[in-house]
């Protein structure tokens, strides 16, 4: 089945240009009950288009905080973060949401699928937010679910799916707007070994097809081993 | 902005469909409140239309005065001229024959018939819904036989309307040119409207010798009462005076022209009462509407409560939307629109329930009382607008607070839940 997979506003690959992600001396601290807690210290690294980067580190090292910053869900306390040539630290709330919707696809450890919605509807949500017309949205969602091997589960709701299937729906949803960056937070953390292998293979395969960069936060050495590069976080500092 | 609005509405509809139980639970209070509002508007509208129709059929259109003179009018033409000068736009005699005539068709006499001597202009003063034939015209005054219009119950009792005769001492052939529609407005009385004409003068007013007045003047009845119906301009100051003192004051200044010396012998009053009844219905409607609004407010609190609870429970879902690219405005619209969708669904359910109740009520009513033309029992457009409008407004009000809370929630914290 041939389906137009180009989403409106999707980030386009520009080989040879600036890195997709440019993180420079980023810091993040929180104030809890009057006490300042420094979570990230002067983190600096880049991610190229199509590159697969694993972020590893012990619990509490700041991996999730860094991922939230990269996904434009949070703002750094200091430093600069440039996404696809755009300095995100100066962006207002609306443009950040737009950039996040168009440029970033999320795969969460707990899947975060919308309950009581079918797989097809879940994959369609980012496209609803992107203003993709209904028929085109349905066709793309169907094609993406077929691409991750869920053509027989189109109308199943999350509670009717296994963990591996739910994560594949989440992957299809992350790809629905052809993002330049896929952020995966412990994508195999809630899955068994067989499902983990399948998810990682599909994640990397789909990212490769679309020339999308992947930043994956993981504890799993097997997952980290499949990355092009590993960024280690130790007490909030990149190595 | 438009994309945010569209996306918010699409998400709201999807959310309402996905959470049917929540939607139904939220609906209950609104259904009762909106239903009460629609029924109040419907009852008020029906009552006002019925009162207007009843008043126009039995008492006259707006600003109709009933003018009576107690005493002997010496010059009827001058009196009628002065009725017009005093502001009358349509003037009709309105006379009950003193001789108590009887009516029959084919030999069988119909008892207890109310006869009224009238002019063709009574058709302009009152609402005359014809079931058959026509109302009286000026041309009928030249007829050699008395001309009349009867109401439906009398027509049914008479049977053959081509052989109708009327009389006191002797029977006279009369022409029945029309039948007034039977409706709840005439309450089943037998009524006959006899056209004032040379052919009916004796029948209506008796012979001049009987009345003891001037020869040829049927109104010259000593000690008798002369009654007219007069429609004036509703903007005329006399129309604002329910007891007709302004109008009688105008007449009294020229009463010498038609032989009345005591101004107290002239009386008038506003015969139509639709405005008065409308006013009473309005007061009642406002009172009932207040009760309905209180019920609706209770429903609003229900939707608000469900909205607040679900926003708390849906932090993760709302955070997921944000992670997938939903802007704050999209999320705000989505949460508000969910409440609006729920309320509108409730409004539509209430409307359907009211419609069914009104149809059933109308069918029952029709079995006992035939409703007149132009007074069907149905939900007026204003009832639909008030019902759905109030439902949407309630949804909007009930959605704003949960939506504001949804915006304040942390995306990162929501994703951790």
């Amino acid at each position: 089945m041939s389906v137009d997979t180009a989403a409106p506003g999707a980030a386009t690959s520009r080989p040879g240009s600036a890195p997709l992600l440019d993180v420079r001396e980023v810091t993040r601290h929180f104030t809890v009950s009057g006490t300042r807690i420094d979570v990230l210290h002067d983190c600096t690294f880049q991610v190229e288009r199509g590159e697969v980067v694993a972020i590893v580190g012990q619990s509490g090292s700041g991996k999730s905080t860094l991922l939230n910053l990269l996904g434009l869900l949070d703002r750094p306390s200091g430093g600069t973060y440039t996404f696809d040539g755009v300095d995100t630290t100066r962006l207002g709330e609306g443009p950040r949401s737009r950039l996040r919707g168009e440029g970033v696809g999320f795969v969460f450890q707990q899947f975060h699928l919308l309950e009581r919605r079918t797989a097809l509807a879940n994959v369609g949500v980012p496209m609803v937010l992107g203003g993709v017309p209904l028929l085109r949205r349905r066709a793309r969602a169907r094609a993406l679910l077929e691409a991750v091997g869920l053509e027989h589960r189109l109308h199943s709701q999350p509670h009717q799916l296994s963990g591996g299937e739910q994560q594949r729906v989440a992957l299809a949803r992350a790809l629905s707007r052809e993002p330049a960056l896929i952020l995966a937070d412990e994508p195999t953390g809630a899955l068994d070994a067989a499902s983990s292998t399948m998810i990682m293979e599909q994640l990397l395969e789909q990212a490769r097809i679309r020339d999308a960069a992947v930043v994956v936060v993981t504890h799993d050495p097997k997952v980290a081993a499949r990355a092009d590069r590993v960024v280690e976080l130790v007490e909030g500092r990149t190595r | 902005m438009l994309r945010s609005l569209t996306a918010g509405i699409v998400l709201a509809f999807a959310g309402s469909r996905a959470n049917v139980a929540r939607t139904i639970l939220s609906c209950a209070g609104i259904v009762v409140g909106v239903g009460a509002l629609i029924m109040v508007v419907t009852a008020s509208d029906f009552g006002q239309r019925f009162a207007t129709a009843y008043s126009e059929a039995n008492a006259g259109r707006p600003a109709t005065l009933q003018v009576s003179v107690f005493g002997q009018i010496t010059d009827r033409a001058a009196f009628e001229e002065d009725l017009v000068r005093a502001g009358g736009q349509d003037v009709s005699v309105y006379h009950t024959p003193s001789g108590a005539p009887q009516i029959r068709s084919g030999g069988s006499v119909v008892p207890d018939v109310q006869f009224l001597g009238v002019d063709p202009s009574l058709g302009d003063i009152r609402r005359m819904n014809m079931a058959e034939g026509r109302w009286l015209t000026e041309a009928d005054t030249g007829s050699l036989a008395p001309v009349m219009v009867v109401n439906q119950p009398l027509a049914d009792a008479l049977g053959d309307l081509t052989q109708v005769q009327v009389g006191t001492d002797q029977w006279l052939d009369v022409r029945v040119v029309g039948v007034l529609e039977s409706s709840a407005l005439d309450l089943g009385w037998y009524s006959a409207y006899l056209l004032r004409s040379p052919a009916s003068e004796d029948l209506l007013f008796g012979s001049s010798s009987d009345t003891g007045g001037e020869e040829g003047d049927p109104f010259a009845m000593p000690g008798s009462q002369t009654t007219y119906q007069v429609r004036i301009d509703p903007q005329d100051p006399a129309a604002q005076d329910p007891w007709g003192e302004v109008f009688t004051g105008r007449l009294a200044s020229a009463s010498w022209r038609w032989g009345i010396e005591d101004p107290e012998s002239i009386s008038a009053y506003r015969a139509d009462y639709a405005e008065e009844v409308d006013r009473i219905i309005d007061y009642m409607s406002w009172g009932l509407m207040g009760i309905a609004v209180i019920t609706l407010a209770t429903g609003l609190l229900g939707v608000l409560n469900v909205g607040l609870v679900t926003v708390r429970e849906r932090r993760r879902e709302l955070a997921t939307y944000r992670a997938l690219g939903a802007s704050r405005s999209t999320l705000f619209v989505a949460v508000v629109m969910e409440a609006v969708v729920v309320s509108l669904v409730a409004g539509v359910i209430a409307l359907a329930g009211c419609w069914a109740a009104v149809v059933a009520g109308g069918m029952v009513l029709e079995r006992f009382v035939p409703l007149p033309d132009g007074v069907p029992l149905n939900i007026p457009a204003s009832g639909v607008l008030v019902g759905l409008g109030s439902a949407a407004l309630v949804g909007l009000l009930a959605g704003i607070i949960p939506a504001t809370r949804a915006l304040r929630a942390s995306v990162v914290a929501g994703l951790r839940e």
Side-chain angles (χ1 to χ4, degrees):
Chain A
M1 182 176 161
S2 172
V3 172
D4 174 17
T5 55
T12 51
S13 181
R14 286 174 286 169
S17 60
L20 180 68
L21 308 187
D22 189 1
V23 179
R24 289 185 184 276
E25 298 173 352
V26 162
T27 61
R28 183 69 174 111
H29 63 258
F30 300 97
T31 305
V32 180
S33 304
T35 308
R36 176 171 156 153
I37 301 169
D38 292 306
V39 181
L40 296 176
H41 308 269
D42 300 330
C43 292
T44 299
F45 65 96
Q46 286 82 38
V47 178
E48 302 295 333
R49 292 170 195 282
E51 191 179 15
V52 179
V53 175
I55 298 176
V56 298
Q58 292 183 334
S59 294
S61 61
K63 300 189 297 295
S64 294
T65 301
L66 181 58
L67 200 76
N68 290 334
L69 292 175
L70 297 181
L72 304 173
L73 297 173
D74 195 8
R75 288 175 185 271
S77 306
T80 58
Y81 169 37
T82 307
F83 180 94
D84 203 11
V86 178
D87 183 359
T88 65
T89 46
R90 294 180 183 179
L91 282 183
E93 197 55 43
R96 280 170 69 85
S97 296
R98 201 156 41 245
L99 189 59
R100 182 168 61 242
E102 291 172 356
V104 185
F106 285 92
V107 178
F108 301 100
Q109 182 178 358
Q110 297 301 328
F111 325 130
H112 288 319
L113 297 181
L114 301 173
E115 296 299 323
R116 293 184 290 275
R117 313 281 174 87
T118 63
L120 212 51
N122 264 285
V123 176
V125 168
M127 290 185 278
V128 170
L129 297 169
V132 180
L134 178 68
L135 292 179
R136 200 169 157 203
R137 197 162 74 217
R138 289 222 171 135
R140 276 183 52 76
R142 184 182 288 270
L144 285 163
L145 286 166
E146 284 172 359
V148 295
L150 288 176
E151 59 276 9
H152 60 299
R153 292 298 216 171
L154 299 178
H155 302 291
S156 299
Q157 295 187 6
H159 69 274
Q160 297 166 321
L161 300 171
S162 69
E165 287 173 329
Q166 289 189 56
Q167 195 60 301
R168 280 189 277 161
V169 174
L171 175 58
R173 182 178 67 184
L175 297 168
S176 64
R177 291 184 70 185
E178 298 281 318
L181 171 67
I182 297 170
L183 292 176
D185 186 6
E186 302 277 11
T188 61
L191 304 178
D192 58 32
S195 297
S196 298
T197 306
M198 180 188 283
I199 282 295
M200 279 313 295
E201 280 176 1
Q202 289 192 336
L203 171 59
L204 298 179
E205 170 70 6
Q206 295 298 331
R208 188 188 58 74
I209 291 169
R210 291 166 172 76
D211 194 29
V214 177
V215 175
V216 56
V217 167
T218 184
H219 278 110
D220 187 346
K222 287 182 190 168
V223 172
R226 303 191 68 159
D228 300 327
R229 189 156 55 92
V230 173
V231 174
E232 188 179 5
L233 268 179
V234 179
E235 293 181 348
R237 288 188 166 78
T238 49
R239 282 190 184 171
Chain B
M1 188 61 198
L2 185 63
R3 184 187 287 185
S4 286
L5 188 67
T6 315
I9 291 170
V10 172
L11 293 179
F13 272 94
S16 301
R17 260 190 10 222
N19 299 285
V20 176
R22 191 176 75 211
T23 304
I24 290 171
L25 279 176
S26 308
C27 277
I30 309 269
V31 170
V32 176
V34 171
L37 268 182
I38 293 173
M39 289 309 277
V40 169
V41 173
T42 301
S44 166
D45 174 75
F46 176 73
Q48 287 183 336
R49 278 186 294 126
F50 191 91
T52 300
Y54 195 89
S55 171
E56 289 187 1
N58 292 290
R61 296 181 192 279
T64 294
L65 297 174
Q66 184 142 318
V67 182
S68 299
V69 177
F70 301 92
Q72 182 179 327
I73 289 179
T74 54
D75 187 342
R76 180 188 50 170
F79 178 62
E80 291 177 2
E81 197 176 279
D82 284 347
L83 285 173
V84 173
R85 278 185 183 158
Q89 294 181 332
D90 298 300
V91 176
S92 170
V93 66
Y94 195 71
H95 180 71
T96 304
S98 55
Q102 290 189 305
I103 188 166
R104 71 180 186 181
S105 176
S108 60
V109 175
V110 178
D112 302 325
V113 177
Q114 183 190 26
F115 281 89
L116 275 172
V118 300
D119 290 325
S121 54
L122 191 69
D124 299 322
I125 295 172
R126 289 196 182 180
R127 180 192 292 214
M128 299 294 184
N129 297 321
M130 306 304 297
E132 289 175 45
R134 58 173 175 77
W135 179 247
L136 307 164
T137 64
E138 287 296 338
D140 292 327
T141 56
S143 171
L144 294 177
V147 179
M148 66 173 12
V149 166
V150 297
N151 71 348
Q152 185 78 59
L154 180 55
D156 293 342
L158 289 169
D160 185 358
L161 296 180
T162 61
Q163 298 181 37
V164 176
Q165 292 181 311
V166 174
T168 47
D169 299 331
Q170 58 182 32
W171 294 103
L172 279 175
D173 289 336
V174 296
R175 281 173 57 214
V176 178
V177 297
V179 177
L180 282 171
E181 190 179 76
S182 177
S183 71
L185 304 183
D186 54 31
L187 300 173
W189 291 103
Y190 295 144
S191 299
Y193 296 88
L194 193 56
L195 176 67
R196 177 174 63 156
S197 69
S200 65
E201 271 187 10
D202 275 355
L203 203 58
L204 285 173
F205 308 111
S207 66
S208 53
S209 57
D210 290 342
T211 62
E214 287 178 23
E215 195 172 337
D217 188 352
F219 275 72
M221 294 176 286
S224 68
Q225 176 182 335
T226 303
T227 304
Y228 275 75
Q229 287 219 326
V230 180
R231 195 166 72 86
I232 61 175
D233 183 349
Q235 305 305 319
D236 188 321
Q240 315 309 319
D241 170 21
W243 301 111
E245 287 173 359
V246 175
F247 194 81
T248 52
R250 291 173 188 168
L251 282 178
S253 62
S255 61
W256 57 270
R257 278 173 25 95
W258 19 277
I260 298 297
E261 292 178 4
D262 180 10
E264 296 293 318
S265 300
I266 309 165
S267 79
Y269 65 90
R270 181 89 184 252
D272 62 296
Y273 43 78
E275 285 176 18
E276 285 301 313
V277 177
D278 283 356
R279 204 168 295 135
I280 293 167
I281 291 174
D282 272 346
Y283 290 142
M284 288 170 64
S285 298
W286 281 113
L288 291 171
M289 195 104 48
I291 296 169
V293 166
I294 291 169
T295 313
L296 196 57
T298 313
L300 181 149
L301 292 178
V303 176
L304 177 62
N305 185 37
V306 172
L308 285 172
V309 170
T310 51
V311 159
R312 203 176 305 132
E313 284 177 351
R314 293 167 66 201
R315 275 186 203 150
R316 197 168 94 155
E317 179 188 339
L318 297 173
T320 305
Y321 279 133
R322 295 277 283 134
L324 298 178
S327 63
R328 282 175 182 273
S329 56
T330 300
L331 214 56
F332 185 85
V333 170
V335 176
V336 169
M337 283 306 294
E338 269 192 36
V340 172
V341 167
V342 165
S343 296
L344 279 176
V345 167
V348 171
I349 292 170
L351 189 58
C354 289
W355 179 81
V358 165
V359 167
M363 287 166 71
V364 171
L365 199 60
E366 284 283 352
R367 291 182 62 178
F368 298 103
V369 188
L371 294 176
D373 263 0
V375 194
L377 181 57
N378 57 17
I379 296 176
S382 57
V384 176
L385 280 177
V386 166
L388 295 184
S390 61
L393 182 66
V394 162
L396 205 62
L397 293 175
I400 286 175
I401 296 175
T404 310
R405 288 214 175 166
L407 291 194
R408 285 211 302 260
S410 158
V411 182
V412 173
L415 290 172
R416 277 204 204 104
E417 286 189 2

